[in-house]
Amino acid sequence: MLHIKCPHCGMRSQNEFSYGGDATVKRPELNKEVSDQDWDNFVYNRKSLRGKHKELWQHISGCRQWIKVERDTATHEIFKTVKASEDI
Amino acid sequence: MTQNYRLDNIGLINRDKKISFKFNGVTYFGYEGDTLASALLANGVHLIGRSFKYHRPRGFFGAGVDEPYAIVQLYRNNETEPNVKATEQELFEGLEATSVNCWPSVNFDIGAINNLLKIFLPAGFYYKTFMWPKSFWYKVYEPFIRKAAGLGVASIEHDKERYEHKYEYCDLLIAGSGPSGLASAYAAAKNGARVILAEDKPRFGGTLLTSEVNIGNQTGKEWAENIISELKEMPNVIVKNRSQVFGYYDHNMLVMSEKLSDHLPKTKKYNPKQRLWYIRAKEVLISSGSIERPLVFGNNDTPGVMLSSAAKEYLKVYGVLVGKKPLIFTNNDSGYETAIEFKKNGVDPIILDTRKEPKSEIIDEAKKLDIEIKFSYVVVAAKGYKKVKSAEVAKISDDKNELGTLENINCDCICVSGFWTPTIHLASQSGNKTTFNKDIDAFVPGLSKQNETTLGAANGTFTLEETLKSSFETGYELSKKITNNDNKTSSPTVMEKKSTTHDKFWCVPLPKGKTYKRFLDFQNDVAVSDVEIALKEGYRSIEHVKRYTTLGMATDQGKTSNLNGLQLVSNIENKIVPEVGHTTFRPPYTPVTIGAIVGREVGKHSKPTRKSPMHTWHEKNNAVFVDAGVWLRPRYYKIGEETLFEGSKREAKNVRTNVGVCDVTTLGKIDIKGPDAAELLNRVYTNAWLKLPVGKARYGVMLREDGIVMDDGTTTRISENHYHMTTTTAQAANVLSHLEYYLQLVWPELNVNVVSTTEQWAGAAIAGPKSRDLLQKLFPNIDASNEGLPFMGYLEADLFGVHARIFRISFSGELAYEVNVESDNGNFMWEKIMEVGQEFKIQPYGTEALSTLRIEMGHIAGSELDGRTIPYDNSLEGLVSKKKDFIGKRSLEREAFIAEDRQKVVGVVPIDKKTSIPEGSHLVKDAMAPTPNPKLGYISASCWSVEYDNPFSLAILKDGKNMIGQKLFAMSPLKNKTIPVEIVSSHYVDPKGERVRS
Amino acid sequence: MHDDNALFSEFGMDLWRKMSQDLNYNVMFSPRGIINLAHSDAQMNVFARRGNSMRLNGIDAVLLNREEVKEIIPMADFSDNVRFPIFGGLMQPSAGTARHDAVAWGYARQADSMGVDIIQNCEVTGFDVVGGKIQGVRTSRGDIKVKKIGLCVAGSTNVLAEKLNMTVPIETHLLQACVSEPVKPVLDKVVTFGAGHFYISQSDKGEMVMGGDLDGYNSYAQRGNLPTLQHVLTEGIAMMPFLSKLKMLRTWGGIMDMSMDGSPIIDKTHIEGLYLNCGWCYGGFKATPASGWTFAHTIAQDRVHKLNAGYSLNRFHTGHLLDEKGLGTKTWIS
């Protein structure tokens, strides 16, 4: 079972977390024009590659903070985890 | 019955405790410490079952997890369990077992007719036939095949046993307590590491229990016993027997299955039957040993043919002779150890060695004991049907291709040894890419992907001296890395007999003209000829061979067949074994009881149950409950013998006439605080929020980014920077995570905090024309008039000494208020409302009445908000702000979402004003049209309108806005109903919303 | 529930019924029927909606009450000690199972005998696209010049899309399944649990085949963790308590193409000569014959057939979604 280092709480098992998908997806700014293609890309299109993946997890049974995790989707090895406010 | 094959003076069983047991209805005796297998063998019973496909007689092959044949149906404490391995089941008083997969008995099995038909039933035969006539596969062949398949019988009774789970952390987890496990555990523990040592069998020591070795000045067995005693005393060590580590998962999490009670006639009170351990280990040591490889020859599945190491184990551990005239057939020195043990216990074995002139200390000892040895000899076929009676043998040429003249040797068992296959399953499960070791002709672990190390025989190290040395070393090194201590334990001296190399030969060729079946997979009846057929038909990758022939897919998971199968494929394909590769190892190592995997979440505990603070009151007042997610909510409060329909109609009518009270605690509540709180609401809801005054509530709709309505609710401005948001029961958790996501990741510049308060507040909705009067009486110090507390207003007040929040909001469409108090005061609030409400003819109402009220008012709820509808569909387009941006707005511009004839919620009334329209019905134009009949919409919610006293439904209808007044048909073919209907506005009752504003 | 999905499925069912004969290979198609259990009146209504939709499309469906379900699957839990009692269920009597290996091998043998070159152990490493048109494909065993490519690699769609500089509305997830040891016949239907995602059937060998939720995070590992299986089997025992005494024999994990609305994509693309067949989530096997048929049509005629017209790549842009589950873009929720 995945062992994830919550930057706030320390090493915790995956069943304390909830997954949140691709962390590289950037929501377009409010009140700015967005092309159809850019909006569709944001809502629907994903790279979802084999290999290193930057993704979001929320520590729902702990501090309830969203964190960013870099994990290999083929081996499940986790390379690093950072807080929501940091870059990964 | 006497135990004719039991010796008196050897073995680790307890002869002071005699145990009686039954097999196939016959009573036998054994001893405490026996397995069912050893006890049956002691009684001379060799016929245990019939094979899966051909129903050939089957006996015992091994002494542990490697057993492919001895599957029985077990009866224990008035329950039955299928597919128990007799070699693993410890004997207990009163044990009863029967053979599986044979009828009428194991001795005379009608299924054996398959054996006669076997030339028509090679591997994969079912793919090539049973297709004609077309319907016969399903109607005739398949039922017959299904009846013949399966091993044991699953009882459909509920399992009475308990299973528990446990979580542990340690520095080192060591799987296996043979010499490598004991040595490494000892060295690591002495150096301060926290160690868990797991042993699958009831006895610790592994091969040390059966081999003739000396460690220091003790025998191997004594040394093992002393190490275990010491380990058990150490506070940093957990030692577990009857515990198997069966799965290696991500990030060094391993799972172990502990059998606490399978060896007892009854599980002790308050004990579980089995316990599953989830162990997170910093380092893992795999000392799982190796399994003997079978030699393959004609009819090698005959009862009496077994692994030589098993014969040795039955002798040394259980004091049982597997035969009195044993033939040992071996390609290495291990077979000699078994022969020597037989000889020492008064039985004369004959050894057939495939090798020409091997020389070693072990062979010398055998010669010194006058054991007859034939070199360059092979067993060509076993003779005897239900039991080995003799062996057809022959000399074999040096190139192993030519057989000499066939000879006959009388024997009552054939003990085979084809060398050793390291047990690499756990290493492979961890991601380790195993490599092929040419010297031992088997796979061993290669590069580790997680923190694991394999030691001893599991790593291809077959000498005790080397094993102990490397294990002490590794235990020390790993523990030092973790504890930083430096207490090194030195490896003791070892006295063992040296052996020489084995013969890389395992499959005896067929003599000319003979078609004996040479079995590879013993449980699934897969023979050499089957693999040859598969390869000939083009199934050449090992994955295809496995699936086509079912080699390795039986309940023993190929432990004695995978490697031989692999070797055969590579020989025929002219490849080397590593090129052919092996199929992936996956957990579990041996089959694990499903109950143990599930643990305690069974029956009513399979999911949690959430109850409102007023639950007991509801129960006492005859509430009939309904599940709302994991919450229990009253559906209606049953008076006398009334049905759901009658009760909910009564309650709804009372709300429209007098006043009712409904428990709304389960709705999601989120407390929002911060200077940017209004800005947050403005961004998540579709309507405007920046100008909501303090003390006012507003209905809001929130979308997903794809434009679909996610949830609706009412949010109230409690004070300047403090809001109270409500959500639907179902979406409460999602909405909270949704807000946290945007606040933490997308708009961290917003200064807002959110927290769930669903369980902190108990809520009661007071609804009906007399609700104001009731409210005034409950809160005499407030001004409850329409001016004092207007529609969507908010007040805080004192409820007879308890702090309360009052929201004037309405789900039912009547004049209504919601009162919230802290949960601990929920009951107090409810009872006060009921007490004060008596004069106004108050009745409690449940979710069914609540549904009726909101449906006839046209208020949308979960059945319309099904995760596929947009605001327009729900007639909420008026709430979609055109001026500001918000989550999901951009998606609303999609072509399908702005189509002229887009679906919309409408009301549906049956033309006869009598027939209820079943929910799930669909609306069509022409009821008589042939299928596929174009569907225009579907009924989302139905009720009996208490206002108009006729059925009324809500529906999502294509081109809804232009369909008012149209006549359609509501069809439910499932219920055989076709109802002519008229489409009306969804706001059936009080379309102007006058009542809530009164 | 969506008409596109229903009509497509039913077209496929007709092909299933003839498959063994068409391929001269016994795929062991067994129309034993499927029951979706419902655990509340509300759920019965949801199933009624689906069942009525099927019936209006000419597909067989029956709504069963609790007693009727009990007669068919008496081994399910009808006692009082349940968290979510069985209220009834939706049954499609003609739904069935088939032997997956046989389907693959049967199709392969037949295609091969019709002249198709099947090249195994051949990994696509790149594509040649010139001026918006397919020119060829590069593989680990050499390059092939070709004008039309059908991309049918569910589980690796994103990986290959990347090589075409495309992103697709798909995320790649992990689904586990397991079998028990074989036992004598006890269950002859496929049954799904309504208060969760558990499904079960009994194979011809006697093994109980079980599965349910996704593990819940992007993965290509083809192996999962035990807590997910524990969750799945918990639902299994909640539905059929007798499973508790059986032993789990084999587990495995696969790679799922989870599309953003839960329905597949069979369509042309913006690249001329490139055809896409993907997004099957965990419902691909039963669609095999219909998927193959419509994809073949799409490639051969360079236009979609009426049956797969709804499975367009563009539907996400236009909003003509075929959302069977109502969960939106959180593909990791089952």
Side-chain angles (χ1 to χ4, degrees):
Chain A
M1 154 149 73
L2 300 183
H3 212 198
I4 303 174
K5 183 168 182 201
C6 172
H8 307 275
C9 307
M11 299 298 295
R12 296 297 174 95
S13 286
Q14 82 186 61
N15 52 9
E16 291 189 17
F17 297 83
S18 168
Y19 186 66
D22 191 331
T24 64
V25 175
K26 288 268 164 297
R27 193 205 190 272
E29 273 185 62
L30 287 171
N31 296 305
K32 279 228 172 79
E33 259 196 51
V34 189
S35 69
D36 280 355
Q37 186 61 70
D38 283 344
W39 184 255
D40 287 344
N41 283 341
F42 159 63
V43 179
Y44 289 122
N45 293 323
R46 298 286 179 269
K47 280 190 179 264
S48 181
L49 294 177
R50 193 193 166 92
K52 283 199 177 162
H53 190 242
K54 293 177 181 168
E55 58 196 29
L56 299 166
W57 290 79
Q58 186 184 17
H59 195 188
I60 52 170
S61 300
C63 55
R64 289 206 71 87
Q65 297 306 297
W66 283 93
I67 65 175
K68 296 172 183 165
V69 175
E70 188 177 37
R71 177 182 63 93
D72 188 312
T73 55
T75 65
H76 294 174
E77 185 181 346
I78 293 182
F79 302 100
K80 71 174 170 209
T81 63
V82 299
K83 298 179 185 172
S85 54
E86 295 165 352
D87 284 326
I88 189 160
Chain B
M1 247 198 209
T2 48
Q3 302 175 50
N4 284 332
Y5 289 79
R6 180 87 70 182
L7 296 165
D8 287 330
N9 297 315
I10 184 173
L12 306 175
I13 47 162
N14 182 0
R15 287 181 175 78
D16 290 335
K17 276 246 178 86
K18 201 166 176 191
I19 293 179
S20 86
F21 67 99
K22 268 197 176 140
F23 180 62
N24 285 337
V26 179
T27 304
Y28 299 96
F29 291 97
Y31 295 114
E32 185 186 69
D34 263 329
T35 58
L36 176 59
S38 64
L40 284 171
L41 283 167
N43 283 278
V45 176
H46 274 262
L47 182 58
I48 185 91
R50 295 276 177 160
S51 68
F52 188 68
K53 192 160 86 176
Y54 297 135
H55 286 246
R56 288 162 71 99
R58 287 283 192 264
F60 301 96
F61 194 67
V65 301
D66 45 6
E67 178 56 41
Y69 298 143
I71 312 282
V72 300
Q73 185 86 21
L74 182 74
Y75 298 88
R76 172 183 176 275
N77 195 23
N78 293 321
E79 290 186 288
T80 184
E81 190 184 330
N83 302 343
V84 172
K85 284 198 179 68
T87 54
E88 292 186 294
Q89 176 61 46
E90 291 177 66
L91 202 65
F92 57 81
E93 180 60 41
L95 183 153
E96 284 186 40
T98 55
S99 303
V100 302
N101 198 37
C102 49
W103 183 85
S105 74
V106 69
N107 253 297
F108 180 71
D109 177 26
I110 294 241
I113 202 156
N114 285 0
N115 194 31
L116 298 173
L117 296 173
K118 59 182 184 284
I119 56 165
F120 299 115
L121 304 174
F125 71 93
Y126 32 78
Y127 295 126
K128 299 178 223 167
T129 182
F130 295 141
M131 294 187 270
W132 310 275
K134 189 164 114 184
S135 63
F136 264 46
W137 165 254
Y138 175 59
K139 295 203 175 114
V140 177
Y141 307 129
E142 194 184 24
F144 181 76
I145 287 178
R146 282 175 84 85
K147 270 219 187 69
L151 293 169
V153 175
S155 154
I156 65 169
E157 296 295 313
H158 294 196
D159 189 340
K160 297 198 202 90
E161 299 284 354
R162 286 169 64 106
Y163 305 87
E164 303 266 3
H165 284 186
K166 191 177 159 77
Y167 290 79
E168 261 298 345
Y169 296 84
C170 64
D171 293 330
L172 259 83
L173 170 64
I174 301 176
S177 74
S180 52
L182 290 173
S184 53
Y186 190 76
K190 278 279 189 219
N191 200 25
R194 285 162 53 227
V195 172
I196 297 179
L197 176 65
E199 168 55 51
D200 173 49
K201 294 196 172 203
R203 298 176 186 87
F204 298 97
T207 51
L208 292 176
L209 296 178
T210 55
S211 28
E212 293 292 302
V213 293
N214 282 333
I215 301 178
N217 52 9
Q218 305 170 313
T219 64
K221 180 164 156 298
E222 285 166 350
W223 182 86
E225 281 163 2
N226 286 327
I227 294 282
I228 282 292
S229 304
E230 254 198 86
L231 286 171
K232 281 184 176 167
E233 294 300 310
M234 295 169 87
N236 53 325
V237 180
I238 297 175
V239 174
K240 281 267 156 220
N241 63 340
R242 299 189 176 96
S243 299
Q244 186 191 102
V245 178
F246 66 82
Y248 201 134
Y249 297 94
D250 282 322
H251 306 170
N252 262 28
M253 164 75 67
L254 292 95
V255 188
M256 173 171 93
S257 152
E258 180 187 2
K259 293 202 165 102
L260 285 105
S261 316
D262 289 64
H263 64 291
L264 302 170
K266 216 162 84 161
T267 304
K268 282 201 282 248
K269 208 171 179 194
Y270 307 126
N271 272 8
K273 182 162 192 259
Q274 295 178 12
R275 187 183 283 135
L276 210 74
W277 294 55
Y278 275 84
I279 302 172
R280 187 82 74 181
K282 292 208 176 94
E283 295 282 343
V284 176
L285 283 173
I286 301 169
S287 42
S288 42
S290 56
I291 293 177
E292 201 163 32
R293 227 170 129 169
L295 292 170
V296 173
F297 49 89
N299 298 329
N300 58 332
D301 63 328
T302 309
V305 178
M306 58 170 58
L307 291 174
S308 110
S309 58
K312 190 170 77 162
E313 187 168 337
Y314 283 118
L315 213 164
K316 296 212 73 171
V317 175
Y318 302 98
V320 170
L321 289 171
V322 300
K324 292 183 176 160
K325 283 188 288 173
L327 177 66
I328 318 289
F329 178 28
T330 181
N331 70 359
N332 70 95
D333 284 5
S334 300
Y336 285 78
E337 293 182 27
T338 305
I340 290 168
E341 289 300 331
F342 270 120
K343 186 76 180 184
K344 285 203 210 146
N345 283 282
V347 169
D348 273 313
I350 301 177
I351 299 178
L352 295 190
D353 193 330
T354 64
R355 300 171 291 179
K356 192 164 172 185
E357 280 168 353
K359 297 222 186 341
S360 74
E361 289 180 336
I362 301 183
I363 299 177
D364 285 343
E365 186 179 346
K367 285 180 180 163
K368 258 193 267 173
L369 289 171
D370 275 329
I371 297 175
E372 184 183 343
I373 308 171
K374 289 167 125 67
F375 293 102
S376 288
Y377 256 82
V378 293
V379 172
V380 171
K383 295 257 159 201
Y385 180 56
K386 286 190 195 151
K387 179 71 166 40
V388 167
K389 291 211 169 65
S390 65
E392 196 173 76
V393 308
K395 202 166 167 81
I396 192 158
S397 61
D398 288 352
D399 67 3
K400 300 290 196 297
N401 286 329
E402 299 297 318
L403 292 170
T405 340
L406 296 176
E407 306 161 37
N408 214 288
I409 298 183
N410 277 340
C411 55
D412 63 354
C413 65
I414 303 175
C415 306
V416 301
S417 179
F419 204 51
W420 298 92
T421 311
T423 305
I424 54 169
H425 301 63
L426 283 180
S428 174
Q429 287 175 22
S430 79
N432 186 310
K433 281 273 168 286
T434 56
T435 60
F436 192 71
N437 182 322
K438 277 203 292 275
D439 294 333
I440 61 171
D441 232 12
F443 285 93
V444 290
L447 194 61
S448 289
K449 286 284 157 67
Q450 302 204 58
N451 291 351
E452 50 88 15
T453 316
T454 305
L455 297 166
N459 199 27
T461 307
F462 296 125
T463 64
L464 183 60
E465 181 169 3
E466 179 59 42
T467 294
L468 285 184
K469 191 156 150 273
S470 59
S471 302
F472 273 104
E473 186 74 36
T474 308
Y476 161 72
E477 290 294 337
L478 289 177
S479 61
K480 181 165 161 197
K481 208 167 74 169
I482 297 169
T483 65
N484 276 320
N485 290 347
D486 204 0
N487 296 321
K488 192 164 180 171
T489 318
S490 51
S491 184
T493 50
V494 167
M495 289 240 299
E496 57 182 328
K497 285 190 209 67
K498 305 259 182 305
S499 53
T500 182
T501 46
H502 69 291
D503 209 357
K504 289 190 186 168
F505 168 76
W506 59 277
C507 184
V508 180
L510 286 173
K512 280 198 182 47
K514 302 278 190 174
T515 56
Y516 299 129
K517 274 236 179 276
R518 296 171 291 169
F519 286 94
L520 290 167
D521 184 318
F522 304 111
Q523 195 175 112
N524 276 353
D525 280 336
V526 181
V528 170
S529 49
D530 294 314
V531 173
E532 288 169 344
I533 291 178
L535 292 169
K536 223 189 296 189
E537 293 189 5
Y539 300 92
R540 289 156 58 200
S541 91
I542 192 64
E543 297 283 352
H544 281 164
V545 170
K546 171 184 163 183
R547 286 172 177 77
Y548 191 68
T549 64
T550 73
L551 172 84
M553 294 178 79
T555 64
D556 64 332
Q557 299 155 314
K559 291 184 173 57
T560 48
S561 58
N562 277 336
L563 196 52
N564 282 349
L566 202 48
Q567 197 93 70
L568 180 63
V569 171
S570 37
N571 288 348
I572 299 177
E573 291 283 291
N574 244 320
K575 292 196 164 104
I576 54 169
V577 170
E579 263 186 277
V580 178
H582 66 70
T583 60
T584 326
F585 286 106
R586 291 195 186 86
Y589 173 59
T590 62
V592 179
T593 305
I594 290 175
I597 296 173
V598 170
R600 293 298 301 133
E601 290 172 18
V602 294
K604 286 230 187 279
H605 299 291
S606 63
K607 266 255 160 74
T609 305
R610 293 176 86 173
K611 298 178 184 174
S612 138
M614 288 81 86
H615 185 87
T616 314
W617 190 97
H618 302 319
E619 270 183 329
K620 289 212 183 94
N621 286 273
N622 291 322
V624 174
F625 290 95
V626 67
D627 285 303
V630 289
W631 288 95
L632 285 180
R633 297 191 71 179
R635 197 168 183 193
Y636 76 111
Y637 297 82
K638 186 169 173 149
I639 295 182
E641 289 307 310
E642 65 180 357
T643 62
L644 171 67
F645 179 68
E646 289 162 349
S648 59
K649 203 164 107 170
R650 166 187 55 76
E651 289 172 6
K653 194 108 188 85
N654 189 58
V655 170
R656 293 252 186 264
T657 319
N658 298 308
V659 63
V661 61
C662 180
D663 186 345
V664 294
T665 307
T666 67
L667 264 54
K669 306 174 205 62
I670 299 174
D671 200 82
I672 305 177
K673 282 196 173 104
D676 294 326
E679 179 60 31
L680 172 69
L681 296 174
N682 212 40
R683 295 184 187 189
V684 305
Y685 280 131
T686 61
N687 51 344
W689 286 81
L690 295 178
K691 299 209 182 105
L692 182 69
V694 173
K696 277 298 215 178
R698 183 165 287 170
Y699 175 69
V701 171
M702 52 173 84
L703 310 183
R704 304 192 304 230
E705 295 282 19
D706 62 358
I708 301 294
V709 177
M710 185 175 118
D711 200 44
D712 69 338
T714 315
T715 297
T716 306
R717 191 170 189 180
I718 305 278
S719 69
E720 174 155 358
N721 292 330
H722 184 192
Y723 291 76
H724 173 84
M725 175 189 277
T726 69
T727 75
T728 59
T729 305
Q731 293 298 321
N734 274 344
V735 172
L736 181 65
S737 285
H738 178 81
L739 296 177
E740 288 165 329
Y741 178 93
Y742 281 88
L743 287 175
Q744 294 172 25
L745 288 163
V746 186
W747 303 313
E749 70 276 5
L750 291 182
N751 190 353
V752 192
N753 280 317
V754 294
V755 71
S756 164
T757 53
T758 304
E759 298 189 340
Q760 278 63 36
W761 295 101
I766 304 171
K770 298 183 186 163
S771 57
R772 172 174 288 125
D773 298 332
L774 172 54
L775 194 80
Q776 190 66 81
K777 269 244 157 90
L778 282 170
F779 298 97
N781 295 324
I782 63 165
D783 177 5
S785 69
N786 200 20
E787 294 71 35
L789 181 52
F791 180 53
M792 298 305 255
Y794 167 77
L795 278 183
E796 293 180 23
D798 174 283
L799 178 68
F800 298 99
V802 156
H803 177 248
R805 289 174 163 181
I806 309 168
F807 306 82
R808 186 175 158 185
I809 55 180
S810 173
F811 187 52
S812 56
E814 289 297 322
L815 173 66
Y817 305 84
E818 263 185 45
V819 180
N820 280 185
V821 295
E822 284 166 47
S823 288
D824 287 347
N825 299 322
N827 256 319
F828 175 79
M829 164 189 72
W830 188 270
E831 284 176 353
K832 265 285 177 269
I833 292 172
M834 286 301 297
E835 179 194 317
V836 175
Q838 285 308 310
E839 85 172 85
F840 305 108
K841 298 207 176 68
I842 192 170
Q843 286 179 28
Y845 65 102
T847 57
E848 198 72 14
L850 183 59
S851 267
T852 299
L853 297 169
R854 72 99 184 162
I855 291 170
E856 61 177 0
M857 282 281 179
H859 290 179
I860 49 111
S863 51
E864 290 76 42
L865 301 183
D866 65 352
R868 300 184 194 88
T869 55
I870 59 170
Y872 174 85
D873 304 352
N874 295 295
S875 284
L876 296 170
E877 63 273 24
L879 283 169
V880 176
S881 166
K882 295 198 190 6
K883 294 195 214 131
K884 58 149 191 178
D885 198 1
F886 52 85
I887 293 174
K889 180 174 193 176
R890 187 71 175 73
S891 290
L892 291 180
E893 295 168 27
R894 294 191 193 283
E895 185 185 301
F897 293 176
I898 56 177
E900 243 305 294
D901 61 349
R902 173 126 188 128
Q903 63 187 14
K904 205 184 214 314
V905 66
V906 296
V908 182
V909 181
I911 296 200
D912 70 1
K913 294 278 174 83
K914 278 206 295 253
T915 315
S916 293
I917 308 167
E919 285 170 13
S921 302
H922 289 262
L923 295 166
V924 301
K925 199 162 159 67
D926 175 5
M928 304 305 290
T931 59
N933 194 342
K935 301 186 285 292
L936 303 174
Y938 63 93
I939 302 294
S940 63
S942 294
C943 72
W944 187 276
S945 165
V946 288
E947 186 80 11
Y948 295 110
D949 204 26
N950 56 255
F952 175 76
S953 299
L954 291 176
I956 306 284
L957 180 63
K958 191 161 176 210
D959 198 20
K961 78 169 189 282
N962 296 321
M963 295 291 277
I964 309 290
Q966 292 288 327
K967 305 236 187 337
L968 299 173
F969 292 90
M971 289 189 71
S972 175
L974 293 174
K975 300 205 163 126
N976 253 319
K977 285 208 147 71
T978 301
I979 306 162
V981 299
E982 181 180 343
I983 306 301
V984 302
S985 158
S986 60
H987 300 293
Y988 199 43
V989 174
D990 188 21
K992 293 216 185 79
E994 287 164 349
R995 295 185 199 186
V996 285
R997 292 172 175 77
S998 61
Chain C
M1 255 188 281
H2 287 275
D3 285 343
D4 292 278
N5 284 329
L7 294 169
F8 185 86
S9 282
E10 193 53 19
F11 173 71
M13 284 304 286
D14 282 333
L15 294 174
W16 274 113
R17 291 178 194 120
K18 301 183 299 187
M19 194 183 287
S20 294
Q21 283 67 37
D22 284 345
L23 301 179
N24 193 26
Y25 200 85
N26 190 0
V27 302
M28 302 183 203
F29 172 68
S30 181
R32 50 191 55 257
I34 183 170
I35 301 181
N36 306 119
L37 294 181
H39 304 269
S40 65
D41 282 336
Q43 195 166 32
M44 285 290 277
N45 292 330
V46 170
F47 283 140
R49 178 180 160 189
R50 186 192 300 175
N52 282 324
S53 176
M54 289 160 71
R55 290 282 291 269
L56 289 169
N57 277 327
I59 304 167
D60 61 326
V62 184
L63 200 62
L64 304 167
N65 64 27
R66 183 179 161 95
E67 284 313 306
E68 290 166 331
V69 172
K70 189 170 180 184
E71 261 192 60
I72 301 174
I73 47 168
M75 78 295 292
D77 199 349
F78 292 94
S79 75
D80 285 328
N81 189 30
V82 284
R83 181 63 187 82
F84 296 112
I86 296 173
F87 272 59
L90 180 69
M91 179 161 82
Q92 185 184 0
S94 67
T97 57
R99 181 114 184 95
H100 56 293
D101 288 329
V103 174
W105 295 334
Y107 267 112
R109 296 172 84 85
Q110 193 65 353
D112 175 73
S113 72
M114 289 164 82
V116 176
D117 283 317
I118 302 177
I119 308 170
Q120 297 174 100
N121 286 319
C122 183
E123 184 188 341
V124 168
T125 53
F127 298 90
D128 282 323
V129 181
V130 178
K133 291 193 200 164
I134 290 285
Q135 300 294 329
V137 67
R138 276 168 271 132
T139 80
S140 57
R141 298 177 71 171
D143 298 348
I144 308 175
K145 280 210 188 323
V146 68
K147 285 272 164 38
K148 287 191 178 186
I149 295 182
L151 208 63
C152 200
V153 291
S156 295
T157 306
N158 294 75
V159 172
L160 287 187
E162 175 76 356
K163 297 191 202 296
L164 288 156
N165 282 320
M166 278 173 74
T167 51
V168 284
I170 292 175
E171 280 186 312
T172 318
H173 282 282
L174 161 63
L175 183 70
Q176 296 187 64
C178 66
V179 291
S180 75
E181 293 181 318
V183 291
K184 288 293 174 205
V186 65
L187 176 67
D188 73 333
K189 300 256 168 287
V190 181
V191 187
T192 69
F193 185 58
H197 299 99
F198 177 78
Y199 68 82
I200 185 171
S201 67
Q202 186 168 21
S203 75
D204 286 341
K205 267 179 72 192
E207 296 161 334
M208 308 304 294
V209 184
M210 302 169 279
D213 294 283
L214 296 172
D215 267 49
Y217 43 88
N218 288 41
S219 173
Y220 287 84
Q222 292 176 278
R223 61 174 169 75
N225 281 293
L226 197 57
T228 303
L229 271 184
Q230 174 186 338
H231 179 76
V232 166
L233 294 172
T234 300
E235 293 181 357
I237 292 190
M239 184 168 91
M240 295 186 172
F242 82 96
L243 293 172
S244 176
K245 282 240 191 290
L246 302 188
K247 293 191 272 292
M248 183 177 81
L249 174 63
R250 253 193 327 278
T251 67
W252 63 93
I255 313 177
M256 309 289 120
D257 245 26
M258 299 303 289
S259 74
M260 287 287 177
D261 66 355
S263 293
I265 298 166
I266 308 177
D267 198 10
K268 300 167 59 171
T269 63
H270 64 287
I271 298 174
E272 193 181 312
L274 179 70
Y275 305 87
L276 201 54
N277 182 323
C278 61
W280 286 97
C281 303
Y282 28 65
F285 179 66
K286 59 180 181 279
T288 300
S291 162
W293 196 98
T294 53
F295 196 40
H297 177 282
T298 307
I299 298 172
Q301 308 228 1
D302 194 35
R303 61 182 173 84
V304 299
H305 186 272
K306 185 173 65 167
L307 284 168
N308 63 311
Y311 293 147
S312 68
L313 192 50
N314 201 37
R315 69 177 187 268
F316 298 93
H317 171 72
T318 60
H320 288 101
L321 303 164
L322 296 169
D323 196 336
E324 291 286 344
K325 285 181 298 178
L327 290 171
T329 60
K330 289 191 185 165
T331 59
W332 52 87
I333 303 176
S334 305

